[in-house]
Amino acid sequence: MSDNTNKPTSQQEMPSAAQTTVPAVSHEDIRNFIPSDGCLDGKTILVTGAGDGIGRIAALTYARYGATVLLLGRTSSKLEYVYDEIESFGGKQPAMLPMNLEGATYAEMQKLENLIAKEVGQLDGILHNAGMLGALTPLEMYDVDMFAQVMKVNFTSTFMLTQALLPLLKDAPNGSIVFTSSSVGTHPRAFWGAYALSKQAVEGMSDIFTQETQNTTNLRFNCINPGGTRTNMRAHAFPGENPMSLKTPEDIIGGYVFFMSDESIGVRGQVVELQPKD
Ligand code: NAP
């Protein structure tokens, strides 16, 4: 991926030069994507942080469009609630995968890969959505334990889980891996500490995975930056903000469906801002 893919210039509105086989889909098209009924039929998609916020809405939406959704999260009661919501509208039976990414080991993730292979038999996509904010404080004062915790949840576990699940994703006809970034990851900002650095690392990881796989596999790796969205995390980061001034996860979810649907086959190494600033 060329360097300019990460920068929100007008050039970025079209796929970068490195992706010569990328279909002509602009970031604006992705933001405005309207999924068609059944566009995720037959796909199995794992969503991390599926119990709340954007992850919950992504899981419900993937199920509405026909996917079997694997719900990974740390709070079982929240996963059960999402499970029941999917059942209530007649979605394909989901699976719950309780896992706290902070303490999860690589061996546990490999076990998960075995479990999915045995019980489900396929994996077409992962939405790496789980995340934590950590402290908003100068790096000089950043608690080093919290720094490690944020990096583990937002970045290292994302790498570990991707690597552990790659055998299944490579077996899929067109595996899609979606990471979640943030504006402070694309442009690191003072006082955003480990959160900003973890998101910058996620963008770098997506770029490297893209370079390493684009000539030899059908896998596609991309990053979504949802932009300011009405969730608990946003409320913690901006306590004085009126939440009603923000888009909801439902408002922006089309882009999340795009990257799991066959419409995004061949789209690689992109960082798509779903709510670009003027
Ligand atoms: P949220 O409402 O706080 O949801 C975060 C989700 O991650 C929750 O389901 C949470 O589980 C899960 N999670 C946190 N720590 C975890 C752990 N150790 N193990 C497993 N799951 C864990 O946040 P959100 O706003 O929906 O954020 C979703 C993603 O979008 C994040 O990656 C965030 O950085 C990114 N993002 C959000 C915004 C925004 O404005 N909302 C902007 C830019 C980027 P529990 O509910 O069980 O705690």
Side-chain angles (χ1 to χ4, degrees):
M1 184 178 67
S2 65
D3 186 46
N4 69 3
T5 310
N6 282 346
K7 298 191 175 83
T9 62
S10 56
Q11 272 183 315
Q12 187 208 18
E13 292 301 306
M14 292 301 289
S16 65
Q19 285 88 55
T20 48
T21 58
V22 170
V25 55
S26 69
H27 288 191
E28 192 58 29
D29 289 338
I30 295 170
R31 287 190 276 275
N32 296 326
F33 181 71
I34 298 175
S36 53
D37 283 348
C39 67
L40 301 179
D41 271 348
K43 295 189 189 296
T44 299
I45 301 169
L46 187 151
V47 179
T48 73
D52 214 334
I54 297 169
R56 172 177 156 261
I57 297 304
L60 294 174
T61 308
Y62 291 159
R64 278 188 204 282
Y65 285 101
T68 300
V69 186
L70 312 182
L71 308 165
L72 189 149
R74 67 176 167 180
T75 309
S76 293
S77 57
K78 291 187 180 184
L79 299 183
E80 283 162 17
Y81 189 78
V82 178
Y83 182 105
D84 289 345
E85 285 182 288
I86 292 174
E87 293 244 295
S88 72
F89 62 72
K92 300 214 173 65
Q93 188 180 26
M96 290 186 293
L97 308 173
M99 181 178 278
N100 186 336
L101 293 170
E102 185 187 337
T105 64
Y106 190 63
E108 285 165 351
M109 295 179 188
Q110 287 178 306
K111 264 193 202 157
L112 187 65
E113 197 266 344
N114 289 334
L115 183 75
I116 297 170
K118 190 160 158 250
E119 301 293 331
V120 189
Q122 70 181 83
L123 185 64
D124 301 278
I126 309 180
L127 171 62
H128 288 288
N129 160 84
M132 64 178 289
L133 189 59
L136 298 176
T137 193
L139 283 177
E140 185 179 2
M141 297 170 192
Y142 210 98
D143 180 87
V144 293
D145 292 333
M146 178 170 283
F147 190 94
Q149 185 187 3
V150 173
M151 291 304 282
K152 174 73 194 295
V153 173
N154 293 3
F155 171 60
T156 315
S157 73
T158 305
F159 160 68
M160 290 162 63
L161 193 58
T162 304
Q163 194 194 74
L165 297 178
L166 266 185
L168 274 169
L169 290 157
K170 285 167 93 172
D171 280 349
N174 291 288
S176 176
I177 298 91
V178 177
F179 300 108
T180 307
S181 188
S182 160
S183 303
V184 297
T186 309
H187 304 287
R189 198 183 302 158
F191 313 122
W192 283 75
Y195 180 82
L197 292 166
S198 68
K199 296 298 188 180
Q200 192 168 50
V202 161
E203 290 193 10
M205 174 167 60
S206 180
D207 191 346
I208 290 176
F209 266 128
T210 298
Q211 293 178 44
E212 291 175 352
T213 58
Q214 64 183 350
N215 295 327
T216 50
T217 75
N218 286 336
L219 295 172
R220 57 197 193 277
F221 293 83
N222 292 283
C223 286
I224 289 178
N225 167 9
T229 308
R230 198 186 308 161
T231 66
N232 290 335
M233 183 187 286
R234 178 76 187 189
H236 279 110
F238 295 90
E241 185 176 62
N242 177 3
M244 300 315 284
S245 68
L246 297 168
K247 289 199 173 172
T248 63
E250 288 88 341
D251 293 331
I252 59 159
I253 214 65
Y256 284 79
V257 179
F258 170 81
F259 277 113
M260 290 301 169
S261 78
D262 286 347
E263 298 298 317
S264 59
I265 288 176
V267 179
R268 293 179 155 110
Q270 301 294 300
V271 181
V272 178
E273 279 184 274
L274 295 183
Q275 303 183 63
K277 304 253 182 341
D278 294 333

